């Protein structure tokens, strides 16, 4: 039997998301989430094509080992057990691959220790990713396991975009540079945008706006990333659900010296209590729009700050690219909020950018154009699919392709 299925794992510090994909027809056989790992109220949510409606159960799940076992049980209950000979490989989302990993990579001991070496620049993400990989290796030691890095797509950035203007020796000693994240999504969406335009990725320049709870922009020239808004960590760039994005770095010294805050407290403030939630108490764009409709000034200001930053990046990346063929909106906010898309592009007609109100209002599933007929720059909604991209890359590298 040919093995044509790929299991995709995204292991966070307290959750594991999984999808089982059939590569013959790019279908999703099962998806699930184990969350609140380590708490009494852990929860497993599982949906599969075979089982129809999803199911959910709660109860303590002590660690990642137990979480993956719970996942394996759910899959087995639907006849999709991990012992299946149809499973070709396991693909892992790994957040930080540094400069070292420019491509998806089959995991061996050297790869594991390199991911470990990157922990100082990704203290929240890489340890959880490593735990997930090690546990999955014990479940199916015979299967190839592939790491697909969030940073890989951005390794093509020129030094002029990747380096910060700080002392070179200090930067190099601590591996401080712009790495960028959400790379799997930026890669997928920029390629899908080219396809939507009926052109090859090498023939188009695209600005990708990945607007989820985390948010980032990238400038993609001829299929290669030349700049992106996230930096050493995912904190830099756009205003996000709970992250500040760009600000004067001196704010941090000020909070330390004058505000008496510790590095950890400021880390939490800027990553978890800033952005939209810091500005107005909500990080869900639906809720913010609802409040704006009711005349809430604080929600309106939060929205305006979010849009102002987004516009600055669109303008900056028009300048970086020179010739822009398309701007693509993706992820939770980008795919669903017509208001954000309209506001982000409003007034940018001199740059060739505009949104057609009617097209923008249509809700749809697949990639679609929202710019007016004959516009100089295409504006598009292009749904992202990071799991499919991870599975595709994993299968290309480790599948049984004979
Ligand atoms: P992440 O993967 O970063 O957690 P997603 O890409 O799933 O995030 O995006 C989640 C966000 O998308 C939510 O916080 C919410 O702000 C936004 N969102 C989801 N659905 C809608 C909608 N219908 N309208 C506006 N915003 C939405």
């Amino acid at each position: 039997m040919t093995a044509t299925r790929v299991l995709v794992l995204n292991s966070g510090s307290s959750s594991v998301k999984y999808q089982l994909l059939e590569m013959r027809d790019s279908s999703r056989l099962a998806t699930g989430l184990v969350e609140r790992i380590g708490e009494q109220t852990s929860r497993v949510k599982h949906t599969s094509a075979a089982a129809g409606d999803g199911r959910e159960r709660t109860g303590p799940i002590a660690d990642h080992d137990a979480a993956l076992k719970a996942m394996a049980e759910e899959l087995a209950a639907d006849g999709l057990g991990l012992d299946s000979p149809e499973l070709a490989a396991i693909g892992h989302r790994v957040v930080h691959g540094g400069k070292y990993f420019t491509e998806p990579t089959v995991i061996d001991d050297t790869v594991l220790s390199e991911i470990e070496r990157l922990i100082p620049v990704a203290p929240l993400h890489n340890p959880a990713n490593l735990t997930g990989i090690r546990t999955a290796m014990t479940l199916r030691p015979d299967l190839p396991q592939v790491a697909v890095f969030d940073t890989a797509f951005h390794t093509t950035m020129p030094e002029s975009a990747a380096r910060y203007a700080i002392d070179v020796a200090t930067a190099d000693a601590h591996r401080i540079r712009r790495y960028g994240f959400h790379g799997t999504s930026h890669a997928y969406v920029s390629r899908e945008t080219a396809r939507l335009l009926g052109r090859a990725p090498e023939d188009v320049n695209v600005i990708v706006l990945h607007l989820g709870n985390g948010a980032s922009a990238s400038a993609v020239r001829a299929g290669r990333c030349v700049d992106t808004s996230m930096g050493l960590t995912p904190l830099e760039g756009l205003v996000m659900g709970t992250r500040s994005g760009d600000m004067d770095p001196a704010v941090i010294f000020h909070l330390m010296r004058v505000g008496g805050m510790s590095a950890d407290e400021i880390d939490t403030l800027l990553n978890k209590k800033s952005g939209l939630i810091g500005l107005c108490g909500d990080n869900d764009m639906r809720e913010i729009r609802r409040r704006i409709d009711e005349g809430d000034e604080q929600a309106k200001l939060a929205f305006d700050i979010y849009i102002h930053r987004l516009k600055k990046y669109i303008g900056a990346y028009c300048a970086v690219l020179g010739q822009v063929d398309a701007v693509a909106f993706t992820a939770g906010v980008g795919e669903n909020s017509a208001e954000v898309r309209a506001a982000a592009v409003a007034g940018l007609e001199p740059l060739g950018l505009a949104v057609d109100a009617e097209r923008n209002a249509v809700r749809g599933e697949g990639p679609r154009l929202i710019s007016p007929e004959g516009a100089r720059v295409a504006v598009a909604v292009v749904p992202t699919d990071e799991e499919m991209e991870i599975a595709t890359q994993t299968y290309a590298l480790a599948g049984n392709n004979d």
Side-chain angles (χ1 to χ4, degrees), residues 5-25:
R5 295 178 179 172
V6 175
L7 177 69
V8 175
L9 288 180
N10 181 354
S11 308
S13 54
S14 66
S15 71
V16 173
K17 291 185 198 149
Y18 61 88
Q19 289 201 6
L20 181 65
L21 298 136
E22 170 55 65
M23 303 314 292
R24 273 181 304 197
D25 57 1

Side-chain angles (χ1 to χ4, degrees), residues 232-309:
L232 173 74
T233 78
L235 182 55
E236 195 181 347
L238 300 174
V239 176
M240 311 184 205
T242 66
R243 297 190 190 114
S244 62
D246 296 336
M247 49 167 219
D248 182 347
V251 170
I252 296 168
F253 326 137
H254 187 81
L255 288 173
M256 285 180 139
R257 292 179 187 136
V258 181
M261 292 176 76
S262 69
D264 283 348
E265 284 168 341
I266 299 171
D267 191 328
T268 305
L269 174 80
L270 299 181
N271 275 297
K272 303 235 164 81
K273 299 182 181 170
S274 297
L276 293 170
I277 208 159
L279 289 167
C280 74
D282 273 306
N283 63 332
D284 192 313
M285 194 52 81
R286 285 164 289 201
E287 188 56 22
I288 291 170
R289 289 304 314 175
R290 195 191 58 72
R291 284 172 56 185
I292 293 172
D293 289 344
E294 286 176 353
D296 187 320
E297 291 292 327
Q298 204 187 1
K300 174 76 170 70
L301 180 60
F303 184 82
D304 290 348
I305 295 169
Y306 181 95
I307 295 296
H308 180 74
R309 184 83 52 83

Side-chain angles (χ1 to χ4, degrees), residues 338-363:
E339 293 95 343
V340 165
R341 296 191 298 257
V345 170
L348 301 187
E349 291 81 6
L351 298 177
L353 286 167
V355 157
D356 176 274
E358 220 165 282
R359 290 181 171 185
N360 189 32
V362 174
R363 299 191 67 84

